[in-house]
Amino acid sequence: MAGKVWQGPLEKIDDQRWRIPKSYKPGMRVDGIIYADEKLIKDIRNDQALEQVANVAFLPGIVNYSLGMPDIHWGYGFPIGGVAATDIEAGGVVSPGGVGFDINCGVRLVRTNLTFEEIKERLEFLTTVLYQTVPSGVGSEGEIRVNAKEERQILLKGARWAVEKGFGSEEDLAHTEENGQMQGADPDTISDRAFERGKAQSGTLGSGNHFMEVQMVEDIYDFDAAERLNIFKNQVTLMIHTGSRGFGYQVCEDYIKKLLPSLNKHGIQVPDRQLVCAPVNSPEGQEYLAAMKCAANYAWANRQCLMYLARRAFEKVFNRSYSALGMNLVYDVAHNIAKIETHKVAGKDKKLCVHRKGATRAFGPGHPALPAEYKDLGQPVIIPGDMGRNSYLLLGSQKAMEDTFGSTCHGAGRLKSRHEAMKNYNASDLVRELRSKGIIVMASSRGTISEEAPGAYKDVNEVVDVVAKAGIAKKVCRMRPLGVIKG
C-alpha cells in the first residue's frame, strides 16, 4: 500500500477528525472528512486514499461531506472505508465504485452458550471439522448446488431462500440487515457470465480476507448491553466474513462498462473514470441498483448457508443440536452496498443514496429498520480485525445518524498490499507464531496466510478507539481469535 505520500491540504478538526477543504480542487462540491487520530492519519497519507476522498466530492448530488473511516485505504474509484450520500431528487448519482466489486461483502456474529474452558481441549478438532465442512479458496464450490431456476430465486429472495430450504430460521432473518433480502432485485439485469460464476459458489467462503473464525469474548465494555445481547466473558462466538464471490465481482465489472456512456449522456464530469456513475432516477441507475440488489441477496444467502454449515460442524463436534448450543445469530451487516435511506440534511428529511464501501451501517436507537429487541439499544455493529489480534461488537449511535449517515468503520483496514505481504511474511512462520499465541489457522493456500498476516493490517483496536471516541459507535465487547479458517 505504501507509495507516494499524499501532499494535499489536511486540516485538523479535533482529535478524531480531519478536513480536506473543498477549495482543494475546483469541482469539489463538499469537503472531505476523515476519521482518524494522529497515528492513523500518518499511515492513511501513505497511499492515494485521501485523493479519492476528494474525487468522490465531485459526484453530482453529494451532500454534507465525502467521508473516510479510520480503516480507509486505496480502492477502485472510492477508497475502501469511504462513505458518500447523494440527494436523489437533486440529481444524485449511484456509482458502482462506491459499492465495490465484492457487493455485500459483510460479516455475521453468532453467539454460543459454550465457554473457552469447554472447548479448549477440542479446539483443534473443531477448527479441522469447520475447515472440512466449509468450502473455501479461489473458485471453491459448495455442496449446496443450485440449478439456473434456483439461482434466480436466490437473487430475488436472498437469505430467505436459504431459510426456506431448511438452512436456518425466521429468527436468523430478523437479525440480518434488510432481513437478508433487498426488495427490487431483478435477475433479468444479470449477465450470463455472472450467472455462470455464481452457480457453483453458494455456501462457499471464497479467498483473500474472507474467513470463518472461532473466537472468545475477552473484554466487556458495556455490561448492560452485553447482557441484553446474551454476551458474556469467556463466551465462545463465531464470526463469518464473506460476500457475493465471483457473482458480485462480475456484476460490478459489467456495470462499470455499462454505465460509462452515462457520463456523457448526463453531462457528468468526474476527475477519475473509475467514478463512473448515473443518476439514481435514470434507467441506467435503476438497472444497476436492481443488479446490485441481486448480488447483495446472493451474499446474504451465502452467509446464511455458511452459518448452517458451521452449525452442523459444531453439532458434530459437541454432539448437541445447534439450538442446544445456543448458536443464535447476533446480527449480520453489509460492508459494500448502496442503500436508499432517509436522513436529515440541513434539518430536512431527504431521500439519499448512501454508498458504504468498506463501511458498516450503524443506525442509532429507535430506528425503524432495527429488530424489535434491539430497537432501544441501537444496531449491532460487527468489526472484524486481523487473525492475530481482535474483533469487536459495537452498537450504532444517534451521533452516527447526525454525522455519518448512520455509518462507521468496517474492519482494521490494510497497511500493506497483498503483494507486499506475500514478500514480507512466511506462511509457516506465521502459523507457528499464531499457534504459540493459542490461535490455530487453517487455509486453502499458504499464499493466503502470508497475504493475511496481522502485520499487513492496521491495529483494529486503534481503529475502533477512533470511532468510539468520535461517538459514531459504542463498544460492547472485544473478542480474540482461537481457530481461523481462511479462504
Side-chain angles (χ1 to χ4, degrees), residues 375-388:
K375 195 82 84 182
D376 62 327
L377 280 175
Q379 181 204 302
V381 172
I382 303 149
I383 309 295
D386 61 75
M387 61 185 175

Side-chain angles (χ1 to χ4, degrees), residues 299-485:
W300 274 311
N302 196 19
R303 290 199 289 277
Q304 183 67 39
C305 290
L306 285 170
M307 185 171 71
Y308 163 75
L309 294 171
R311 283 167 166 170
R312 274 188 20 194
F314 270 77
E315 288 174 338
K316 180 177 178 179
V317 172
F318 297 102
N319 202 27
R320 276 182 273 165
S321 70
Y322 85 80
S323 54
L325 290 165
M327 290 190 75
N328 299 318
L329 179 60
V330 177
Y331 208 60
D332 175 302
V333 292
H335 288 159
N336 292 352
I337 207 154
K339 296 276 197 72
I340 309 305
E341 297 171 357
T342 300
H343 291 272
K344 280 206 172 348
V345 179
K348 292 183 181 173
D349 282 345
K350 293 278 186 182
K351 200 173 169 190
L352 307 179
C353 179
V354 183
H355 300 75
R356 296 187 182 95
K357 181 183 181 178
T360 307
R361 194 181 78 173
F363 283 175
H367 197 284
L370 302 184
E373 64 268 45
Y374 297 157
K375 195 82 84 182
D376 62 327
L377 280 175
Q379 181 204 302
V381 172
I382 303 149
I383 309 295
D386 61 75
M387 61 185 175
R389 280 181 280 216
N390 301 103
S391 294
Y392 281 83
L393 173 61
L394 313 175
L395 289 172
S397 69
Q398 183 54 37
K399 191 152 178 58
M401 302 306 295
E402 293 163 7
D403 293 357
T404 61
F405 310 106
S407 311
T408 191
C409 64
H410 89 305
R414 289 196 80 95
L415 269 178
K416 292 183 167 75
S417 70
R418 298 188 189 286
H419 180 68
E420 277 182 278
M422 284 278 282
K423 282 198 306 187
N424 292 358
Y425 302 105
N426 176 277
S428 300
D429 291 345
L430 279 169
V431 169
R432 275 195 299 275
E433 182 190 331
L434 290 167
R435 189 174 276 272
S436 73
K437 295 177 179 177
I439 303 165
I440 296 166
V441 178
M442 296 184 184
S444 60
S445 80
R446 291 167 57 80
T448 296
I449 293 173
S450 298
E451 287 175 2
E452 292 300 299
Y457 284 88
K458 298 172 191 172
D459 186 338
V460 73
N461 298 290
E462 296 172 1
V463 168
V464 167
D465 275 349
V466 168
V467 298
K469 285 174 182 170
I472 58 171
K474 179 181 171 187
K475 290 186 197 177
V476 176
C477 69
R478 182 172 77 167
M479 291 78 73
R480 73 173 178 85
L482 301 172
V484 183
I485 310 297

Side-chain angles (χ1 to χ4, degrees), residues 206-219:
S207 61
N209 65 343
H210 295 156
F211 66 80
M212 185 175 286
E213 197 168 282
V214 180
Q215 304 171 334
M216 181 190 85
V217 176
E218 187 175 51
D219 289 299

Side-chain angles (χ1 to χ4, degrees), residues 262-306:
S262 296
L263 296 178
N264 284 334
K265 178 181 172 183
H266 297 285
I268 296 169
Q269 293 187 318
V270 285
D272 180 355
R273 284 172 74 82
Q274 291 184 359
L275 289 172
V276 57
C277 56
V280 173
N281 279 339
S282 70
E284 307 96 306
Q286 287 296 303
E287 187 182 336
Y288 167 70
L289 282 170
M292 181 211 75
K293 290 171 181 179
C294 287
N297 288 343
Y298 184 100
W300 274 311
N302 196 19
R303 290 199 289 277
Q304 183 67 39
C305 290
L306 285 170

Side-chain angles (χ1 to χ4, degrees), residues 38-357:
E38 294 274 3
K39 183 172 184 293
L40 286 168
I41 204 72
K42 285 177 187 165
D43 292 328
I44 291 167
R45 277 184 178 273
N46 283 336
D47 68 18
Q48 294 304 298
L50 295 175
E51 190 69 14
Q52 291 185 313
V53 170
N55 289 344
V56 168
F58 280 70
L59 291 178
I62 190 168
V63 295
N64 292 5
Y65 323 102
S66 169
L67 293 165
M69 293 296 135
D71 50 343
I72 188 176
H73 53 285
W74 182 84
Y76 184 95
F78 272 57
I80 297 161
V83 176
T86 63
D87 182 344
I88 296 169
E89 298 307 316
V93 295
V94 61
S95 172
V99 171
F101 280 89
D102 193 357
I103 297 167
N104 188 6
C105 180
V107 64
R108 58 176 50 194
L109 179 67
V110 183
R111 68 168 82 86
T112 76
N113 57 23
L114 295 163
T115 64
F116 174 63
E117 284 298 315
E118 289 175 277
I119 76 152
K120 66 179 181 183
E121 300 303 325
R122 284 191 268 186
L123 179 59
E124 183 105 32
F125 181 45
L126 175 61
T127 308
T128 302
V129 173
L130 281 168
Y131 183 70
Q132 291 168 345
T133 306
V134 175
S136 60
V138 176
S140 52
E141 297 185 351
E143 65 170 81
I144 298 170
R145 305 301 289 273
V146 294
N147 58 31
K149 186 179 175 186
E150 281 197 300
E151 191 177 359
R152 289 177 71 88
Q153 287 300 301
I154 289 173
L155 305 188
L156 288 167
K157 292 184 174 181
R160 175 160 293 284
W161 172 88
V163 169
E164 287 176 358
K165 289 288 179 184
F167 305 143
S169 69
E170 287 291 329
E171 186 189 16
D172 296 337
L173 300 179
H175 289 177
T176 302
E177 189 173 330
E178 298 286 338
N179 294 310
Q181 179 186 17
M182 279 190 98
Q183 302 300 322
D186 181 0
D188 290 339
T189 61
I190 302 301
S191 69
D192 291 343
R193 174 72 179 131
F195 270 114
E196 191 56 40
R197 292 186 72 175
K199 197 164 57 182
Q201 291 185 339
S202 292
T204 62
L205 193 58
S207 61
N209 65 343
H210 295 156
F211 66 80
M212 185 175 286
E213 197 168 282
V214 180
Q215 304 171 334
M216 181 190 85
V217 176
E218 187 175 51
D219 289 299
I220 293 179
Y221 304 97
D222 184 332
F223 285 91
D224 289 341
E227 188 176 357
R228 288 278 306 281
L229 294 162
N230 292 317
I231 298 293
F232 56 88
K233 190 95 181 273
N234 297 324
Q235 178 184 26
V236 173
T237 56
L238 180 77
M239 194 172 277
I240 299 166
H241 178 207
T242 192
S244 49
R245 307 281 277 106
F247 180 87
Y249 192 100
Q250 193 61 47
V251 168
C252 183
E253 195 171 84
D254 291 343
Y255 278 88
I256 283 168
K257 290 174 191 160
K258 268 193 171 186
L259 264 56
L260 260 176
S262 296
L263 296 178
N264 284 334
K265 178 181 172 183
H266 297 285
I268 296 169
Q269 293 187 318
V270 285
D272 180 355
R273 284 172 74 82
Q274 291 184 359
L275 289 172
V276 57
C277 56
V280 173
N281 279 339
S282 70
E284 307 96 306
Q286 287 296 303
E287 187 182 336
Y288 167 70
L289 282 170
M292 181 211 75
K293 290 171 181 179
C294 287
N297 288 343
Y298 184 100
W300 274 311
N302 196 19
R303 290 199 289 277
Q304 183 67 39
C305 290
L306 285 170
M307 185 171 71
Y308 163 75
L309 294 171
R311 283 167 166 170
R312 274 188 20 194
F314 270 77
E315 288 174 338
K316 180 177 178 179
V317 172
F318 297 102
N319 202 27
R320 276 182 273 165
S321 70
Y322 85 80
S323 54
L325 290 165
M327 290 190 75
N328 299 318
L329 179 60
V330 177
Y331 208 60
D332 175 302
V333 292
H335 288 159
N336 292 352
I337 207 154
K339 296 276 197 72
I340 309 305
E341 297 171 357
T342 300
H343 291 272
K344 280 206 172 348
V345 179
K348 292 183 181 173
D349 282 345
K350 293 278 186 182
K351 200 173 169 190
L352 307 179
C353 179
V354 183
H355 300 75
R356 296 187 182 95
K357 181 183 181 178

